[in-house]
Amino acid sequence: MDRIVGYKLRRAQLSVFQDFLRTFAGMNLRPAEFSVLALIAAHPGRKQTEIAEQLGIKRANFVALMDDLERRGLAERRKGATDRRSHSLHLTEEGIRFVDMMAAVWREHEERMIARLGGEEERDRLIELLDRLTGTPDESTD
Amino acid sequence: MDRIVGYKLRRAQLSVFQDFLRTFAGMNLRPAEFSVLALIAAHPGRKQTEIAEQLGIKRANFVALMDDLERRGLAERRKGATDRRSHSLHLTEEGIRFVDMMAAVWREHEERMIARLGGEEERDRLIELLDRLTGTPDESTD
């Protein structure tokens, strides 16, 4: 199993997520919730469907995740003014404070991952290779 | 989210697993089953606990997975001669034929992943970085 890309990827991903979950145990935050909150913070008012698609989260899972963030008082859906079927996503006041804390705690975790890799150059190299595998449209490999 | 290691890892892992699942749809084989069969083929008679640990699969999940492989007639558990509580794992005759086919089909998938990365050197570089993240004992980074 030493050279198998999918296997090695999965092991590394589980290891990084384990560190993430330990780091965020006190804040009761899972990686998908982190990503959604970070994206809403960066793009308040963006449509639910766009954020789900950008993160590659299936519709049903995304709805459940947003229900939970609403229940916790961190984020909210607002109906579109023109298209009432489309929801735009926003942080609440409490959500904004939560995301500030989250960013500080996250930095700790990320520094540990960069240290494991051997520095920021290695991190950049890894991300470049991962983007090739994912085939992100903004990272052409030719 | 452009520089976040865990996020990028997860996206790449999902993308590689999607290709794997598409490739193996006809054989009804999931990545964890592939790994277990490949390891039993490489080390017939190895203990259940060792294989589960090597793959980082939790005990309950591993038992369910082996139940399924037994039901499909591909692998079997045998009680240890000295320690009757420990099970050793073996492929059946049918399992041996299945693993031969599986290896041929897998090569297709893996070649596609190596092509996405840009070649075998890039694959090796990626795996070296992933091993640093996982902290595998046989891959010291100093």
Side-chain angles (χ1 to χ4, degrees), chain A residues 7-23 109 112-113 116, chain B residues 5-6 9 56 130-136:
Chain A
Y7 174 70
K8 289 289 186 174
L9 262 178
R10 178 64 169 162
R11 295 306 299 264
Q13 180 255 315
L14 286 174
S15 175
V16 170
F17 273 36
Q18 258 165 25
D19 188 280
F20 183 99
L21 290 170
R22 262 198 306 273
T23 309
H109 156 77
R112 233 174 357 252
M113 297 306 105
R116 281 196 200 167
Chain B
V5 172
L9 263 178
L130 294 174
D131 279 344
R132 291 186 193 180
L133 277 177
T134 311
T136 49

Side-chain angles (χ1 to χ4, degrees), chain A residues 20-136:
Chain A
F20 183 99
L21 290 170
R22 262 198 306 273
T23 309
F24 278 103
M27 290 177 81
N28 185 26
L29 193 71
R30 299 186 57 79
E33 294 161 343
F34 172 91
S35 303
V36 170
L37 289 172
L39 267 188
I40 302 175
H43 309 282
R46 187 167 281 189
K47 284 199 187 127
Q48 172 158 285
T49 45
E50 286 169 351
I51 290 195
E53 191 181 353
Q54 187 173 349
L55 294 174
I57 302 178
K58 283 179 200 145
R59 196 187 141 68
N61 296 338
F62 192 81
V63 167
L65 193 156
M66 274 304 301
D67 286 347
D68 202 53
L69 292 178
E70 282 198 329
R71 213 174 295 124
R72 291 167 70 179
L74 300 176
E76 61 189 19
R77 284 173 271 216
R78 295 186 200 148
K79 281 201 174 132
T82 49
D83 181 357
R84 294 190 55 80
R85 289 163 311 171
S86 80
H87 288 90
S88 66
L89 304 183
H90 302 263
L91 297 180
T92 61
E93 288 294 314
E94 194 182 333
I96 291 168
R97 283 193 299 273
F98 187 90
V99 165
D100 282 347
M101 273 196 300
M102 177 182 102
V105 172
W106 169 74
R107 203 164 303 276
E108 244 183 75
H109 156 77
E110 197 71 6
E111 291 299 332
R112 233 174 357 252
M113 297 306 105
I114 293 169
R116 281 196 200 167
L117 285 167
E120 296 194 354
E121 264 182 58
E122 325 291 300
R123 188 266 322 268
D124 291 347
R125 196 179 303 163
L126 173 66
I127 284 177
E128 202 229 312
L129 291 165
L130 295 174
D131 279 344
R132 292 186 192 181
L133 277 178
T134 310
T136 49

Side-chain angles (χ1 to χ4, degrees), chain B residues 1 3 9 19 25-26 38 54-55 60 76 96 101 133 139:
Chain B
M1 310 294 290
R3 306 271 83 186
L9 263 178
D19 188 279
Q54 186 173 348
L55 294 175
E76 61 188 19
I96 292 169
M101 273 195 301
L133 277 177
E139 291 269 351

Side-chain angles (χ1 to χ4, degrees), chain B residues 42-110:
Chain B
H43 309 283
R46 187 167 282 187
K47 284 199 186 127
Q48 172 159 287
T49 45
E50 285 168 351
I51 290 195
E53 191 180 355
Q54 186 173 348
L55 294 175
I57 302 178
K58 283 180 200 146
R59 195 186 141 70
N61 296 339
F62 192 82
V63 168
L65 193 156
M66 274 304 301
D67 285 348
D68 202 52
L69 292 178
E70 282 197 331
R71 214 174 296 125
R72 292 168 68 180
L74 300 176
E76 61 188 19
R77 283 173 272 215
R78 295 187 200 147
K79 280 198 175 136
T82 50
D83 180 357
R84 294 190 54 82
R85 288 163 310 171
S86 81
H87 288 90
S88 66
L89 304 183
H90 301 263
L91 297 180
T92 61
E93 288 295 314
E94 194 183 334
I96 292 169
R97 283 192 300 272
F98 187 90
V99 164
D100 281 346
M101 273 195 301
M102 175 183 104
V105 173
W106 168 75
R107 205 164 302 277
E108 245 184 74
H109 156 77
E110 198 71 6

Side-chain angles (χ1 to χ4, degrees), chain B residues 114-131:
Chain B
I114 293 169
R116 281 195 200 169
L117 285 167
E120 296 196 353
E121 264 182 58
E122 325 290 300
R123 188 267 320 269
D124 292 347
R125 197 180 301 163
L126 173 66
I127 284 178
E128 202 229 313
L129 291 165
L130 294 174
D131 279 344

